[in-house]
Amino acid sequence: MATLFVDNLTVLDFSYLHPKRGMIGESWIVDLELSGDLDGQGMVFDFGQVKRRLKRLIDDQVDHRLLFPGAHEALSLNQREDQQLSLTWQYAAGEIRLVTPSESLLEIAGTEVSKASVTLFLMELLEPSLPDNVNEARILLREEDTGTAPFYHYSHGLKKHDGNCQRIAHGHRSTIQIFENGRRSRYWEKLWADRWEDIYIGTREDLEGTYFVEEVPHHRFRYDAPQGHFELVIPEDHCYLIDTDTTVEYLADHIARQLAEEAPGKHFRVRAFEGVGKGAIAEGQLTVKGE
């Protein structure tokens, strides 16, 4: 028997529901091992087929979705007459309510979304697509190793996007690098990581209004996109509003501008990540009067 491995097969960028933290944006790297007998080509499974078949299957079923534990008591899920799904999630800070096309959600068996429960889902998902000579598959889900660098979890939706980013509740686990006058500043990085911890970043244009649910203010976001109609209600304290769309390019620019306002006269360079290994760079400086 032989074993092949594919590290960094894909990165899953998604959000999931948690009974204490609410909606959490996440990015997990997927590593894969396949063990079995060699085929007629002297391979366990052709690497090209692994990427074409298995990676695509994983991405299609999990990436850019909102994952929820189907057996948790905090969950209420209903099919509407217009074929949209209506989801309500009760947690410590209030409620999360969604109206969304079914393909933007993914139910995970059990009472929690975890690496173990998602791994089990992926194993069952891949099994029918494995060749007969493969008798064992192993999947490892892991976060990016950022050392001591700060990071944050954020969720968002991009209504203008022509792909799955238009889904109103998907997210990322992202690091950030901030340089103040050419020197890396862990102070500013930690400040923004704390500011955007478990946050939903929304566009003001998509904000329909603010309402009280059990005396707790909640924001309601609503928009239509090519995949359908999307609505999200989420506690105001777990939201951060900006005046633009929430692409990583705009987020990097927003951070740079805010830093320039908070520390006039200093030059800032921001490298904002969207998940793993990708992002945008922006610079900002506010000139002090008299200089």
Side-chain angles (χ1 to χ4, degrees):
M1 187 171 72
T3 300
L4 69 79
F5 67 89
V6 182
D7 291 340
N8 306 299
L9 174 63
T10 190
V11 177
L12 297 175
D13 291 305
F14 64 97
S15 292
Y16 69 97
L17 295 176
H18 188 276
K20 294 183 179 179
R21 296 165 61 187
M23 183 186 298
I24 304 174
E26 189 57 272
S27 298
W28 285 346
I29 300 167
V30 181
D31 297 333
L32 176 68
E33 290 185 7
L34 300 175
S35 297
D37 299 324
L38 299 181
D39 61 15
Q41 303 176 86
M43 301 177 180
V44 175
F45 197 15
D46 183 87
F47 284 118
Q49 290 296 322
V50 170
K51 293 183 178 180
R52 279 193 293 272
R53 291 167 54 182
L54 304 188
K55 178 184 183 301
R56 183 180 302 169
L57 191 58
I58 292 172
D59 289 342
D60 287 347
Q61 294 298 313
V62 184
D63 195 45
H64 284 73
R65 295 189 184 226
L66 176 67
L67 278 56
F68 62 91
H72 200 285
E73 61 182 6
L75 174 72
S76 175
L77 187 67
N78 296 290
Q79 181 86 46
R80 300 187 352 155
E81 292 182 0
D82 59 3
Q83 302 307 307
Q84 299 278 97
L85 286 179
S86 173
L87 180 151
T88 300
W89 182 258
Q90 303 273 354
Y91 72 114
E95 289 186 357
I96 293 173
R97 302 176 186 170
L98 286 117
V99 175
T100 179
S102 59
E103 62 265 24
S104 69
L105 300 176
L106 176 62
E107 179 176 346
I108 298 296
T111 59
E112 67 173 349
V113 176
S114 64
K115 290 190 182 72
S117 62
V118 177
T119 297
L120 181 60
F121 172 84
L122 292 176
M123 296 284 285
E124 294 174 350
L125 176 70
L126 295 185
E127 184 177 5
S129 297
L130 297 176
D132 292 339
N133 62 298
V134 173
N135 52 43
E136 184 178 3
R138 290 178 293 278
I139 294 173
L140 173 66
L141 301 177
R142 58 184 171 89
E143 296 97 350
E144 179 185 24
D145 184 2
T146 61
T148 60
F151 62 88
Y152 48 85
H153 300 264
Y154 77 95
S155 301
H156 68 150
L158 301 172
K159 67 177 181 290
K160 299 174 185 176
H161 194 265
D162 60 2
N164 293 335
C165 291
Q166 68 189 259
R167 296 170 179 173
I168 201 168
H170 74 276
H172 314 273
R173 177 188 186 270
S174 300
T175 57
I176 185 169
Q177 298 174 1
I178 298 175
F179 299 85
E180 176 186 336
N181 294 334
R183 298 185 62 181
R184 182 114 177 239
S185 172
R186 287 297 176 90
Y187 168 79
W188 290 114
E189 292 173 359
K190 182 65 165 55
L191 184 147
W192 277 95
D194 290 344
R195 188 173 290 177
W196 281 1
E197 180 183 9
D198 295 349
I199 203 73
Y200 184 83
I201 305 177
T203 301
R204 291 186 191 277
E205 181 181 79
D206 302 330
L207 179 64
E208 181 195 64
T210 302
Y211 309 87
F212 284 89
V213 179
E214 300 294 333
E215 300 183 350
V216 177
H218 286 60
H219 282 332
R220 181 194 295 275
F221 299 93
R222 183 197 301 261
Y223 60 72
D224 291 304
Q227 290 185 3
H229 179 71
F230 294 89
E231 295 181 22
L232 170 66
V233 175
I234 189 168
E236 181 183 33
D237 285 348
H238 287 195
C239 294
Y240 186 99
L241 297 177
I242 67 172
D243 295 326
T244 63
D245 292 328
T246 58
T247 64
V248 70
E249 292 89 345
Y250 277 127
L251 296 183
D253 182 69
H254 175 83
I255 295 171
R257 290 174 181 270
Q258 289 295 117
L259 287 167
E261 291 181 7
E262 293 176 25
K266 295 182 178 180
H267 178 270
F268 290 95
R269 187 171 188 263
V270 176
R271 284 172 51 89
F273 286 76
E274 184 185 71
V276 178
K278 63 186 189 301
I281 299 172
E283 301 191 27
Q285 181 172 4
L286 185 63
T287 303
V288 178
K289 292 183 179 180
E291 291 188 354

